[in-house]
Amino acid sequence: MTTLYLVRHGETEDNVNQILQGQTDGKLTTKGIEQAKELRDKLANNHFDAILSSDLQRAVDTAMILNEPHHLNIEQTKLLRERYWGDFTGRFIPDIQEEKVPDNVEPIDEMFSRAMNFLTFIKTTYRDQNVLAIGHGLFNRCIQAAYHKKTIRDIPRMVNAEVRILEL
């Protein structure tokens, strides 16, 4: 069995300011760094065979902190990227709540396809291994929804630097 430890990155400046980051890099806050360090300490005695990260900087920075006790190579992958928010990217979230979603936003079915591709990649590449994967709030929920055969709304929101475990 492959065990996937799915983590959301630490708090970013845009999280605090309610800015929709999407596929922008983002910058961890001091609190976000501390959140990652707390999770690092909780996971320090866990054995991981691989550490994967979204290639977006906020996830990479979180992965680097989590990797400190493990000293593994961090594999960056676009498969773990957050949803592409198109014209909503960089906008103040409360301002867009009632707006029509732009046509250039990544469709839900494409996100689910990417989530399924990620799960297949993990199962085939890391068979019977423990994998730590650092990604993003909405896309991590999409991965969990695909795994549990549910909708994203059925999956509770992940807080920053939260880990959820999936057995594949």
Side-chain angles (χ1 to χ4, degrees), residues 6-35:
L6 193 59
V7 173
R8 181 181 178 199
H9 61 77
E11 179 189 80
T12 66
E13 292 173 356
D14 284 342
N15 291 149
V16 172
N17 294 317
Q18 299 183 66
I19 302 298
L20 193 57
Q21 295 172 99
Q23 294 188 3
T24 61
D25 280 321
K27 180 173 173 31
L28 296 181
T29 62
T30 301
K31 180 180 178 181
I33 293 167
E34 289 306 312
Q35 290 169 331

Side-chain angles (χ1 to χ4, degrees), residues 23 32 40 47 68 96 120 128 132 134 145 148 161:
Q23 294 188 3
R40 172 201 64 200
H47 168 77
E68 288 171 1
I96 60 176
T120 299
D128 298 324
L132 179 64
I134 299 86
H148 292 292

Side-chain angles (χ1 to χ4, degrees), residues 4-10 39 52-54 59 62 79-83 111-112 114-115 118-119 132-148 151-152 155-164 166:
L4 176 63
Y5 292 75
L6 193 59
V7 173
R8 181 181 178 199
H9 61 77
L39 184 57
L52 281 72
S53 172
S54 159
T62 302
L79 283 174
L80 276 170
R81 277 188 171 194
E82 183 58 287
R83 184 180 195 184
M111 272 191 10
F112 264 90
R114 196 158 47 96
F118 175 74
L119 289 169
L132 179 64
I134 299 86
H136 306 274
L138 180 60
F139 190 65
N140 281 1
R141 285 173 60 207
C142 188
I143 291 168
Q144 294 167 77
Y147 172 81
H148 292 292
T151 69
I152 294 173
I155 307 299
R157 293 179 64 107
M158 292 183 78
V159 296
N160 292 108
E162 178 182 350
V163 62
R164 295 193 184 157
L166 304 177

